[in-house]
Amino acid sequence: MISDVAAQTVVNVLMLSSIYILVALGFALLLTVLGILNFAHAAIYMVGGYICYQLAVVVGINQWASLLISMIAVGLLGLFLERVFFRPFLKDMNRIVVVTLALIIILQATINVTVGSYIRRIPSFVPGVLRFSGVSVSGDRLATFVIGGVLLLAVILFIRKTKTGLQMLAISQDSDGAALQGIKTHRIFAVTTAIGCALAAVAGSLMGAILSLSPFMGDIMLVKAIEIVILAGIGSIGGVLIGGLILGALDATLPLFISGSATDLTGLCIIIILLLIRPQGLFGREV
Amino acid sequence: MVAGEHAPSGGRNWIKTVAYAGLIILLFLLPLFVDSVYYLHTFIITLIYTIAACSLRTILISGQLSIAHAAFMGLGAYVSSIFARELNWTPWLTIPLGGVSAMVVGVLAGYPLTRVRAIYFSMVSLFVGLAIVALMGVFQKYTGGDIGLIGIPPLPSITIPGLPTINFLSSKIPYYYFFLLLTVFCLMILHSLENSRIGMSWKAIAQSYLVASSVGINEAGFRVLALAVGCFFAGIAGAGYAHYNMVLTRSSFGFLSSVNLLIYVLVGGTGSFFGPIIGTTVLVIVPEIFRWLKTFAPFVFGGIMLLVVFFMPQGIAGLFEQVKTKFLHFQERKKPRDVS
Amino acid sequence: MLLRVKDLSVYYGKAMALENVSLEVAQGAVVTIIGANGAGKSTILKVLSGLWPSTSGEVYFDNKKIEGMEPYEIVSLGLVHIPEGRRLFPYLNVLENLKLGASLRKDKEGIKQDLEGVFTHFPILRDRRKQKAGSLSGGEQMMLAIARGLMSKPRLLLMDEPTLGLAPVMVVELVSVIQAINKTGVSVLLVEQNVFLALQVAHRGYVLEVGKVILEGNIDQFRDSDLVKRAYLGE
Amino acid sequence: MKPRGIFAIVVCLFGALALLTQPCLAGEPKTLKVGGLFCLTGFGSSAETYIAQGAKLSEEWINEKGGLTIKGEKYKVELVMEDMKGTADGAVAAATKLVYDHKVKIVIGTVVPFMVQAAGSVLEPAKVLRLVLYNCGMPSEYGPQTPYMFLTYDSTIEGMRAALDYLKEAYPKVKNVAYIIPDDGSVPYLDKLFREKATSMGYEVATVGKWAMTTQDFSPIITKVLASKPEAIAFANGWPQATGSMLKIIRDMGFKGPVFGCNYDDAYQIMEIAGKEASTDFFIHQIDLDSPDMTPMIKEIKKRAEAKYGKAYGMHIWGFNPLYELKQVIEAAQSTDSTVLKDTWGKMKTIDTVYGPGRMGGLKTYGINHTVCAPCPIVALMAGKVKWVKWVDVYSP
């Protein structure tokens, strides 16, 4: 009995962590390379979910294809956002904060006005439930687990093994110094934003299937993404894995012992204490 | 992140004084022109958020971009209303108490927070804010949880001999004057603090904490002091809000509300003391004017933000500086790219 | 002339950083700009490499107007800037730092050859090639910064205060390094506070004071100049 | 410091506002303005947009039928809607705007409980008749201190009673029930009422699962609830995102028993969120627009909604109901004065609702008899289909 709950909880932790990691990955990428806290990430995530929904349900094309198209479309949106909204303000934190917050408001209002606020859900990507000895996992969550893991690995490999990735790292450590090496910084920024937004779109589409779609679905996820990235440490992509696992573990086990609002409080206190012990996050570079 | 420095005031001090006085007189006469209770309500809300935004800027000029300010406002609001509701204390006492309690929590949170700087400070402050709001959810018995707290007493009526009794329930005009006086009072304190030695130390820390420490400025002490002052006035604003609104919900003090306060300050401009005042005025009142747009109304708010970001690098308050520079130094049309 | 700067002025807002600065670097020459802290030396280099826009004036590199170009375009022309404080990528290893120096180059073979060349030049870097740049000593970091600059196949190397924070023994070594680089046909524009070094390696020099060139000429003239002696050599 | 420019702008701004705030011209004499308070943006807008549409339909319906006749005079109804923007501040601002700018004396709306209180803080002192659609059963929300508030239809407490009654009838073997509730401050009240009703019917309450309002993933709370081996599960309150997600997880984790939702919510939306696989043995307080068992009024509203908005939702019916009731009250009172209306309505024993004949009640439950108790429709999700169950008669004494 208790072992059942424990086993199920372990599964819950893994699944929830993979959800969080997937959502936070693009956010962490932009923070690392562009050095900006893209508050609009969660709104872009929401837009990605809606594009996938419109394609899969309203237009009626294959679901995985719609996921892919949504990824590409939001990636292109990312290029546009970088060029118009991020690039002029990269060095000015005040203005980038205002721009990204304005984007949230505008994207939410756009979806609210065009698609409407009726709550929707993208049908399951992987229907069915996997059961083994008292533990169950839905197909979608399993898919998220796999996709989240694969994407995390892919992003890390991309950064570590490709020339573009190396240049991203260089920019993240010293963007002026990178420019002096002949790195086309703006192109790297554009590529990074496109990748970050595409990752958000994948996350949004999968969350649209696991949870639901609403114009305001990103509000809480944004806070979760910030929590993960700060826990991981600014500038660390690999740390997102650990940050996601910690947050997933907190959110999936605390409700078993403490119920209701106290869960939030306990989780936050643990995070604050962790951050005061290691202000730079677990894998961050500097304070 | 760094609040701008003060331009040396020229010999036009008397103009300034006259203008201040004129503005304040105008604001005092406002209820004579406005007989819509709804607009009076909007002005009152603007005044309350002006106090909060200005106190947020006080924290900001010490180099600390706090994303927890609405939570401190909420703290003051809840403490004041709980004392007034449960213990029947008079709001005249509980409002300062609300400010003090916000200050105490601000200091308690502030000491560990001095370990972290810049963006890390912002992030930890974000979690502190969320934790305060979560705390309000835990003590539902007193705070009412998400459903909210009602039955908060209004400000008690004032009797001054020889004058008719001022009854706060009768209309919004007494409230308007109360908040106008409170705002003027708070802003005067904040303004003089900013221009005092303390304010200079804050700005020095914001410029470079290493340099500031090397010239003997106690960085941690001054940063906590900035937090204490900022949180105190946020608490006062929140407590006043509670006794005006007479209903509280914790969702009014969450992440998005803190972010809203930050937007008021940033859009108004961090470089000038008037920035948050202008920012709050524009961002509270203009969207109310465009209320009839209904679902399209958020575009107005977002639009103002984008307009400011694209055309006013130093916020709305910075626009005047920009225009002045354009006229006085039109030879340098080409500004160097900002490089940190 | 390889580099020609004409009447360059730079303002930050209202503050003047440079005013009507003109200078020239001939093909194959080592030219130095000396001046006190805040004289605007670094500003010149930042404008040359495209990090900062100028307010007015013209910059020609190889008879091409480079003012207003993006930094990478300027690098591709062969004007390479080794910035003040080296600006290495501290969390990347030596090899990665060197590879980033060759960001714009497509010739894999050439890069390989140059890497070998750099390693023969600075054997210590070969030993440390898997070590994080941030963990190197000051002298090693300087080597790496120069080596990284060389990886971009420069025709003109801009060096900003290379001696900053170096041990005296390393400064001596730097002289031979710069001379060796110059021998391979690379011109050098050296910005220095350390006038001894500057006078040792340069052919021609400029003295900058509060944003203005107050003295220019061949280095021999400098050695004899009272101004330089008084102000910078402390004689 | 650059005072002059700032002052010029501030002065202009306030001047412009002073001009803007000149009193609005009074409406045409024969128009009755009714306010509508809904969240059209922000939190809650997902449901309230459609409730607002329903209210708009009822306005048109009344005017088409010739409006209201008061003392021989014909009145047209004009619905003025204000957006609460999903926040308590927004609710207060919107309510202030309605009362003092539009000068309405009757207001429909507020659904999300915290907005009921926030708007009430403006509306009650102004003696504005409030037609509220939903509440959580908290004494602070609704009770003797809110004499101008009327609960126009069955709410959580009524839904809970109907659900338990139906559970007894349909699943006589079930012995214990688990109860899942948002931790929003209403827990102590609802929990007490639920336990009272459940134990009086011979049920054992297995666990109470409280979830924080910020919950994204309900798996942990469901894991905890299922560990107590309940035979049936009830959701107290919630919105479709939460209810649908929880239902999905409950079924994914292999729970086979019946699940109930006590609040009025869109069954189609819940099914969309839970998925067809998981949508079985689920019951909720809702109507089935396609069932022939609907009242003629519901059928009519459905036609109107389809004509105007393309598709009809249960929320349209809910939003239609308050004005439908108000029409009767106004015609009974022959007045538009909110105090007269309040007194008349308070004395009425029965009132017709779009859901069928309603009775006034609530004195014992809430301390005030301003509750319209009408038949509570129950709809089931069975094997991925919405299935009409029946009308359950509930009454809150």
Side-chain angles (χ1 to χ4, degrees):
Chain A
M1 186 60 240
I2 287 178
S3 67
D4 270 6
V5 174
Q8 181 69 52
T9 300
V10 170
V11 172
N12 288 347
V13 168
L14 290 177
M15 296 303 135
L16 189 57
S17 301
S18 61
I19 289 175
Y20 285 165
I21 289 167
L22 193 56
V23 176
L25 197 52
F27 187 77
L29 200 63
L30 257 68
L31 181 60
T32 304
V33 179
L34 276 74
I36 61 170
L37 272 174
N38 179 19
F39 289 115
H41 183 77
I44 295 164
Y45 147 95
M46 178 267 298
V47 171
Y50 269 97
I51 293 178
C52 183
Y53 175 86
Q54 291 291 325
L55 291 171
V57 178
V58 180
V59 182
I61 54 179
N62 178 289
Q63 234 175 321
W64 291 101
S66 3
L67 175 69
L68 205 69
I69 297 172
S70 160
M71 218 172 126
I72 293 165
V74 176
L76 292 175
L77 173 73
L79 287 181
F80 168 76
L81 291 180
E82 192 273 338
R83 183 70 196 81
V84 178
F85 292 103
F86 297 166
R87 192 180 294 182
F89 314 119
L90 279 178
K91 295 276 166 82
D92 189 338
M93 183 164 158
N94 285 349
R95 288 161 90 192
I96 204 83
V97 166
V98 178
V99 161
T100 50
L101 292 173
L103 281 177
I104 299 183
I105 295 172
I106 287 171
L107 288 176
Q108 284 185 346
T110 308
I111 295 292
N112 198 12
V113 169
T114 52
V115 190
S117 53
Y118 192 79
I119 309 288
R120 294 147 216 271
R121 178 174 159 259
I122 301 170
S124 292
F125 283 90
V126 184
V129 181
L130 187 69
R131 284 206 179 81
F132 48 91
S133 67
V135 174
S136 49
V137 200
S138 77
D140 280 329
R141 279 167 199 261
L142 214 56
T144 308
F145 182 70
V146 174
I147 292 173
V150 167
L151 285 180
L152 180 68
L153 207 68
V155 167
I156 291 175
L157 283 179
F158 178 77
I159 287 180
R160 289 263 161 236
K161 299 291 170 202
T162 66
K163 196 172 165 183
T164 315
L166 192 62
Q167 295 184 348
M168 284 181 182
L169 282 177
I171 290 176
S172 81
Q173 290 169 25
D174 188 339
S175 72
D176 277 353
L180 291 179
Q181 306 314 312
I183 294 173
K184 296 169 185 169
T185 43
H186 289 317
R187 183 186 285 181
I188 301 292
F189 285 158
V191 170
T192 310
T193 316
I195 294 175
C197 290
L199 287 171
V202 177
S205 307
L206 287 169
M207 282 325 104
I210 291 178
L211 306 169
S212 55
L213 288 175
S214 94
F216 311 99
M217 65 195 269
D219 289 355
I220 293 171
M221 274 302 183
L222 173 64
V223 177
K224 299 284 178 201
I226 295 176
E227 285 179 13
I228 291 170
V229 171
I230 298 302
L231 266 182
I234 292 172
S236 163
I237 299 289
V240 169
L241 176 68
I242 307 296
L245 278 172
I246 293 176
L247 196 67
L250 285 177
D251 282 3
T253 49
L254 283 177
L256 294 179
F257 306 104
I258 315 162
S259 62
S261 309
T263 333
D264 284 351
L265 184 64
T266 319
L268 283 164
C269 287
I270 292 174
I271 291 171
I272 291 172
I273 291 167
L274 278 178
L275 284 178
L276 289 176
I277 296 169
R278 268 191 79 84
Q280 70 275 45
L282 298 168
F283 300 94
R285 291 192 297 246
E286 68 225 84
V287 179
Chain B
M1 189 72 147
V2 178
E5 68 268 29
H6 263 277
S9 52
R12 295 193 297 270
N13 267 333
W14 65 274
I15 299 184
K16 224 191 275 179
T17 319
V18 169
Y20 277 124
L23 179 71
I24 290 171
I25 290 171
L26 197 84
L27 286 173
F28 267 94
L29 294 179
L30 197 65
L32 297 181
F33 308 119
V34 180
D35 64 351
S36 158
V37 175
Y38 163 68
Y39 274 103
L40 218 48
H41 166 79
T42 310
F43 295 148
I44 292 172
I45 293 291
T46 310
L47 289 173
I48 294 170
Y49 281 111
T50 300
I51 303 177
C54 283
S55 63
L56 176 58
R57 184 173 165 275
T58 304
I59 301 179
L60 202 74
I61 57 171
S62 69
Q64 311 181 87
L65 188 111
S66 161
I67 317 186
H69 216 57
F72 285 105
M73 225 179 128
L75 205 68
Y78 273 106
V79 167
S80 178
S81 35
I82 289 168
F83 273 90
R85 230 176 77 103
E86 308 271 330
L87 302 175
N88 282 322
W89 289 22
T90 164
W92 300 124
L93 210 65
T94 59
I95 290 178
L97 188 71
V100 169
S101 56
M103 182 174 78
V104 168
V105 175
V107 169
L108 288 181
Y111 262 107
L113 278 174
T114 51
R115 286 171 50 88
V116 288
R117 292 190 184 86
I119 195 170
Y120 299 90
F121 172 88
S122 304
M123 293 302 115
V124 183
S125 77
L126 163 70
F127 300 135
V128 170
L130 289 175
I132 292 174
V133 175
L135 198 70
M136 294 170 188
V138 173
F139 293 103
Q140 282 173 1
K141 205 174 155 223
Y142 302 104
T143 64
D146 290 281
I147 304 268
L149 186 69
I150 63 158
I152 302 165
L155 293 175
S157 44
I158 309 170
T159 324
I160 304 167
L163 286 171
T165 308
I166 302 166
N167 183 1
F168 281 95
L169 273 181
S170 62
S171 79
K172 293 203 189 277
I173 293 175
Y175 269 113
Y176 175 78
Y177 284 116
F178 168 71
F179 281 111
L180 188 56
L181 285 171
L182 186 68
T183 309
V184 170
F185 173 72
C186 293
L187 295 198
M188 270 162 61
I189 295 179
L190 288 174
H191 187 262
S192 53
L193 264 177
E194 187 182 330
N195 291 320
S196 70
R197 204 171 256 283
I198 298 173
M200 295 304 148
S201 307
W202 285 337
K203 284 173 187 166
I205 291 167
Q207 296 281 339
S208 164
Y209 69 92
L210 288 175
V211 173
S213 304
S214 69
V215 297
I217 294 174
N218 174 2
E219 191 216 347
F222 275 103
R223 280 179 58 187
V224 172
L225 182 67
L227 264 178
V229 171
C231 292
F232 175 75
F233 286 105
I236 293 275
Y241 168 81
H243 293 286
Y244 165 67
N245 219 20
M246 291 185 272
V247 57
L248 287 180
T249 327
R250 74 180 178 127
S251 63
S252 308
F253 307 110
F255 170 61
L256 291 176
S257 313
S258 290
V259 161
N260 257 344
L261 276 178
L262 197 62
I263 293 174
Y264 294 159
V265 177
L266 294 181
V267 165
T270 54
S272 151
F273 187 80
F274 294 92
I277 305 176
I278 300 171
T280 314
T281 311
V282 170
L283 285 175
V284 174
I285 294 177
V286 175
E288 284 297 335
I289 296 173
F290 288 95
R291 186 173 256 288
W292 52 274
L293 283 173
K294 301 229 160 73
T295 48
F296 288 87
F299 288 114
V300 175
F301 197 88
I304 297 174
M305 288 167 71
L306 287 184
L307 210 69
V308 168
V309 162
F310 276 98
F311 301 106
M312 307 168 207
Q314 301 300 322
I316 304 176
L319 184 67
F320 302 106
E321 188 76 0
Q322 250 176 297
V323 170
K324 217 163 81 185
T325 319
K326 268 250 161 72
F327 279 113
L328 296 179
H329 308 267
F330 49 89
Q331 76 269 22
E332 13 158 327
R333 244 163 267 137
K334 226 157 98 192
K335 289 212 160 182
R337 205 179 342 162
D338 244 347
V339 175
S340 61
Chain C
M1 278 300 148
L2 186 61
L3 177 78
R4 201 147 49 87
V5 178
K6 247 179 87 182
D7 295 333
L8 185 70
S9 296
V10 176
Y11 284 86
Y12 305 138
K14 287 174 219 160
M16 182 267 286
L18 287 181
E19 200 168 75
N20 293 331
V21 169
S22 296
L23 54 88
E24 287 180 337
V25 178
Q27 182 77 47
V30 178
V31 175
T32 182
I33 304 174
I34 51 184
N37 236 341
K41 296 169 300 187
S42 295
T43 309
I44 297 183
L45 297 198
K46 279 178 181 159
V47 171
L48 293 184
S49 58
L51 280 185
W52 253 333
S54 62
T55 312
S56 65
E58 284 158 354
V59 181
Y60 293 94
F61 182 69
D62 209 11
N63 293 323
K64 222 177 260 154
K65 194 166 184 293
I66 59 167
E67 203 262 305
M69 280 188 178
E70 287 288 322
Y72 73 87
E73 290 172 296
I74 295 173
V75 172
S76 71
L77 293 175
L79 199 159
V80 176
H81 180 178
I82 301 172
E84 190 179 351
R86 335 215 207 286
R87 308 294 279 268
L88 296 171
F89 306 114
Y91 304 98
L92 295 179
N93 63 32
V94 169
L95 198 62
E96 286 166 331
N97 266 283
L98 289 173
K99 276 185 183 160
L100 282 166
S103 287
L104 278 175
R105 293 170 61 184
K106 298 259 183 285
D107 53 330
K108 279 198 174 153
E109 276 309 306
I111 295 175
K112 221 175 198 171
Q113 269 174 24
D114 279 4
L115 207 57
E116 274 310 309
V118 161
F119 281 151
T120 37
H121 237 99
F122 306 107
I124 187 82
L125 293 182
R126 191 198 296 274
D127 304 339
R128 301 269 153 99
R129 65 183 185 279
K130 289 286 171 203
Q131 209 169 318
K132 293 261 185 292
S135 68
L136 299 180
S137 73
E140 289 162 351
Q141 288 195 5
M142 191 63 241
M143 304 281 178
L144 179 54
I146 294 173
R148 188 178 65 173
L150 292 176
M151 290 301 291
S152 318
K153 271 211 174 304
R155 295 172 58 201
L156 172 61
L157 205 55
L158 310 178
M159 296 173 92
D160 196 350
E161 307 263 7
T163 59
L164 205 72
L166 282 195
V169 62
M170 287 307 300
V171 175
V172 176
E173 202 177 327
L174 198 62
V175 172
S176 59
V177 167
I178 294 174
Q179 277 164 349
I181 291 170
N182 186 232
K183 277 206 187 94
T184 61
V186 178
S187 315
V188 176
L189 178 58
L190 177 69
V191 160
E192 256 310 330
Q193 266 183 326
N194 186 334
V195 179
F196 287 109
L197 173 87
L199 294 183
Q200 261 180 327
V201 297
H203 308 136
R204 198 179 154 73
Y206 294 83
V207 177
L208 208 62
E209 210 159 73
V210 218
K212 286 177 189 152
V213 175
I214 56 161
L215 188 71
E216 63 169 289
N218 283 335
I219 217 71
D220 312 331
Q221 289 167 288
F222 267 59
R223 288 199 187 99
D224 304 333
S225 155
D226 288 341
L227 182 91
V228 174
K229 275 183 190 162
R230 212 171 346 109
Y232 301 102
L233 296 175
E235 286 174 16
Chain D
M1 198 111 354
K2 45 267 162 187
R4 279 178 305 171
I6 299 170
F7 290 145
I9 287 281
V10 171
V11 168
C12 290
L13 209 74
F14 275 96
L17 285 171
L19 286 177
L20 276 168
T21 49
Q22 290 305 310
C24 306
L25 290 172
E28 281 175 42
K30 287 189 179 176
T31 302
L32 175 66
K33 268 195 182 181
V34 175
L37 277 177
F38 300 105
C39 298
L40 304 176
T41 55
F43 181 81
S45 61
S46 54
E48 292 187 35
T49 311
Y50 299 91
I51 297 170
Q53 288 180 354
K56 200 79 199 156
L57 287 175
S58 61
E59 174 207 22
E60 284 165 14
W61 176 78
I62 290 181
N63 290 339
E64 252 175 59
K65 299 264 164 193
L68 303 162
T69 319
I70 303 160
K71 293 186 183 140
E73 255 191 309
K74 288 264 182 204
Y75 279 79
K76 268 192 174 310
V77 174
E78 189 196 339
L79 187 65
V80 208
M81 278 197 257
E82 286 298 339
D83 179 11
M84 296 192 288
K85 301 181 180 173
T87 63
D89 277 9
V92 171
T96 312
K97 172 111 184 159
L98 280 180
V99 175
Y100 296 104
D101 225 35
H102 295 304
K103 312 259 184 245
V104 302
K105 285 310 241 175
I106 302 162
V107 166
I108 302 174
T110 65
V111 182
V112 180
F114 75 78
M115 308 231 182
V116 175
Q117 287 197 0
S121 73
V122 176
L123 300 177
E124 278 303 327
K127 298 193 173 22
V128 174
L129 190 74
R130 231 183 338 155
L131 285 77
V132 175
L133 288 99
Y134 191 74
N135 89 340
C136 268
M138 292 213 359
S140 61
E141 261 176 279
Y142 173 49
Q145 82 284 7
T146 58
Y148 285 87
M149 172 169 164
F150 283 82
L151 195 55
T152 54
Y153 188 43
D154 299 332
S155 194
T156 319
I157 291 171
E158 290 75 30
M160 196 168 79
R161 289 176 175 155
L164 284 171
D165 283 342
Y166 180 71
L167 178 67
K168 193 87 191 165
E169 183 188 321
Y171 296 86
K173 280 188 198 149
V174 170
K175 286 280 172 296
N176 65 44
V177 190
Y179 189 53
I180 301 180
I181 186 167
D183 190 18
D184 58 2
S186 61
V187 177
Y189 309 96
L190 286 184
D191 188 37
K192 188 171 143 258
L193 285 165
F194 184 83
R195 275 175 200 278
E196 268 172 19
K197 172 80 178 169
T199 40
S200 77
M201 291 175 73
Y203 288 118
E204 204 181 302
V205 178
T207 34
V208 179
K210 287 192 284 180
W211 46 274
M213 300 290 270
T214 52
T215 309
Q216 289 281 295
D217 181 18
F218 291 93
S219 305
I221 197 89
I222 302 294
T223 307
K224 185 183 176 186
V225 167
L226 291 185
S228 71
K229 300 270 175 226
E231 287 161 2
I233 295 175
F235 301 137
N237 269 323
W239 36 91
Q241 292 103 304
T243 310
S245 293
M246 285 193 283
L247 179 61
K248 183 168 193 293
I249 293 164
I250 286 174
R251 296 297 179 220
D252 283 355
M253 288 192 178
F255 180 74
K256 296 267 190 294
V259 181
F260 289 84
C262 300
N263 54 326
Y264 188 94
D265 221 332
D266 191 330
Y268 286 93
Q269 212 166 23
I270 290 171
M271 186 165 76
E272 189 172 339
I273 292 164
K276 284 198 183 331
E277 300 278 300
S279 299
T280 189
D281 290 285
F282 177 74
F283 303 88
I284 190 149
H285 178 193
Q286 182 55 268
I287 48 161
D288 177 9
L289 286 164
D290 300 327
S291 159
D293 204 13
M294 292 298 112
T295 63
M297 204 56 226
I298 292 179
K299 286 177 184 158
E300 159 125 27
I301 301 166
K302 185 190 170 206
K303 256 185 240 145
R304 284 169 175 271
E306 279 167 352
K308 184 153 186 194
Y309 301 115
K311 195 174 172 200
Y313 296 100
M315 293 294 161
H316 285 144
I317 315 293
W318 206 21
F320 193 100
N321 187 44
L323 263 185
Y324 182 80
E325 290 174 9
L326 183 69
K327 182 176 190 288
Q328 300 167 50
V329 176
I330 289 179
E331 280 170 357
Q334 286 297 305
S335 164
T336 55
D337 181 78
S338 60
T339 310
V340 176
L341 288 175
K342 173 203 86 170
D343 292 338
T344 313
W345 200 346
K347 286 190 199 102
M348 287 166 79
K349 289 270 177 276
T350 58
I351 189 165
D352 201 28
T353 72
V354 297
Y355 299 97
R359 284 176 284 171
M360 297 302 297
L363 192 61
K364 223 178 112 194
T365 317
Y366 302 102
I368 189 165
N369 67 330
H370 285 183
T371 314
V372 179
C373 304
C376 178
I378 289 189
V379 148
L381 296 180
M382 280 291 177
K385 284 207 173 58
V386 175
K387 222 182 100 197
W388 169 245
V389 178
K390 63 185 283 197
W391 292 97
V392 176
D393 205 28
V394 283
Y395 182 66
S396 277

